[in-house]
């Protein structure tokens, strides 16, 4: 009586090679998913910022991944803002994403420089005291009922190109610039005085970041879809 039998031969070397390749492919898929999710999150934050905030603040978003490609057991990615967290960029993003208000430290007015104030000082807006020291001019307070008050400078005019204040020289005075008595009659607003600045959350970051969790899973499953043993 003949018996049906078959010999099962396992090529351990080939099996090990296939196993190693699958592990590397899955680890590479994880790296690709993390990197892709970070890039997508950066783009969504850029789009949300650009839609809600005037100017170029949206360009401050950055992302990076390590490693960029290849197998890795713990790939990581970061999305961040350029500059320090407590710097101008971080403050601007907080201004547009968190409701609140800004008041003077001791209840005084907030002095907002106008274009006539000229260039900013040390990477930030000038204060009235800094402007006076820089220009040698004294500022005068003008109260306006029902409107914002002003700090103004007299005896000067504004640069036609930059809009910044410049004192009238004796030559310009003799030429009749600024009126019949220019050093007395010319008044240039330098600062607007605001008691409080209220702001609102023009867009929210947290929902965009939370949505990225699901994005990471989709990126990973898309990356492993084509993996098969050979």
């Amino acid at each position: 009586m003949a018996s049906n039998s078959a010999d099962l031969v396992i090529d351990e070397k080939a099996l090990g090679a296939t196993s190693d390749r699958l592990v590397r492919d899955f680890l590479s898929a994880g790296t690709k998913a993390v990197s892709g999710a970070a890039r997508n999150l950066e783009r969504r934050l850029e789009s949300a910022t650009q839609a809600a905030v005037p100017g170029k603040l949206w360009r401050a978003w950055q992302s990076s991944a390590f490693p960029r490609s290849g197998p890795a057991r713990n790939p990581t990615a970061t999305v961040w803002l350029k500059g320090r967290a407590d710097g101008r960029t971080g403050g601007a993003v907080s201004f547009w994403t968190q409701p609140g208000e800004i008041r003077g430290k001791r209840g005084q007015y907030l002095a907002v420089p106008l274009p006539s104030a000229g260039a900013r000082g040390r990477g930030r807006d000038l204060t009235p005291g800094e402007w006076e020291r820089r220009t040698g001019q004294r500022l005068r307070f003008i109260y306006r009922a029902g409107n914002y008050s002003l700090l103004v400078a007299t005896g000067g005019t504004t640069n036609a190109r930059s809009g910044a204040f410049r004192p009238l020289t004796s030559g310009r005075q003799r030429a009749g610039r600024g009126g019949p008595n220019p050093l007395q009659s010319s008044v240039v607003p330098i600062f607007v005085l605001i008691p409080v600045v209220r702001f609102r959350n023009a867009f929210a970051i947290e929902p965009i970041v939370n949505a990225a969790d699901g994005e990471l899973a989709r990126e990973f499953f898309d990356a492993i879809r084509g993996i098969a043993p050979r």
Side-chain angles (χ1 to χ4, degrees):
M1 181 176 178
S3 60
N4 296 325
S5 63
D7 294 329
L8 178 63
V9 178
I10 298 177
D11 188 337
E12 294 185 0
K13 185 177 181 180
L15 182 62
T18 299
S19 176
D20 288 344
R21 185 186 59 79
L22 285 174
V23 170
R24 290 178 61 85
D25 286 349
F26 272 85
L27 292 178
S28 295
T31 299
K32 182 179 179 181
V34 170
S35 179
R39 285 195 304 271
N40 289 336
L41 175 57
E42 178 191 357
R43 294 189 187 107
R44 288 193 175 95
L45 289 169
E46 287 177 341
S47 297
T49 306
Q50 189 173 21
V53 181
K56 299 179 181 180
L57 183 63
W58 65 274
R59 293 184 177 179
W61 292 106
Q62 303 286 301
S63 69
S64 64
F66 180 82
R68 294 185 178 181
S69 62
R73 295 191 179 276
N74 294 294
T76 60
T78 305
V79 180
W80 78 94
L81 287 167
K82 288 181 181 177
R84 304 194 318 270
D86 59 349
R88 291 177 63 88
T89 301
V93 171
S94 295
F95 180 91
W96 290 98
T97 58
Q98 300 175 18
E101 62 182 30
I102 300 175
R103 294 181 180 271
K105 292 181 179 179
R106 293 178 293 277
Q108 75 273 31
Y109 287 111
L110 296 169
V112 179
L114 297 170
S116 54
R120 293 171 174 169
R122 297 194 297 272
R124 58 183 175 79
D125 289 336
L126 285 168
T127 67
E130 288 171 336
W131 188 89
E132 288 183 332
R133 289 190 294 272
R134 189 178 72 176
T135 63
Q137 303 290 317
R138 294 301 301 271
L139 292 168
R140 182 159 58 90
F141 174 78
I142 294 182
Y143 174 76
R144 299 193 298 171
N147 207 336
Y148 293 130
S149 298
L150 300 172
L151 289 177
V152 304
T154 57
T157 183
T158 54
N159 184 287
R161 182 173 298 177
S162 67
F165 174 86
R166 62 177 180 179
L168 284 175
T169 63
S170 57
R172 291 175 64 83
Q173 185 182 2
R174 287 193 298 270
R177 305 292 180 87
N181 191 2
L183 293 181
Q184 296 297 325
S185 61
S186 59
V187 175
V188 179
I190 305 297
F191 291 90
V192 176
L193 300 177
I194 301 176
V196 60
V197 176
R198 293 183 175 88
F199 50 94
R200 60 183 180 84
N201 50 331
F203 72 103
I205 293 177
E206 187 174 355
I208 301 174
V209 174
N210 290 340
D213 292 339
E215 177 92 10
L216 177 60
R218 287 192 296 273
E219 289 275 348
F220 179 72
F221 286 118
D222 286 344
I224 66 173
R225 189 169 295 160
I227 298 176
R230 294 194 295 268

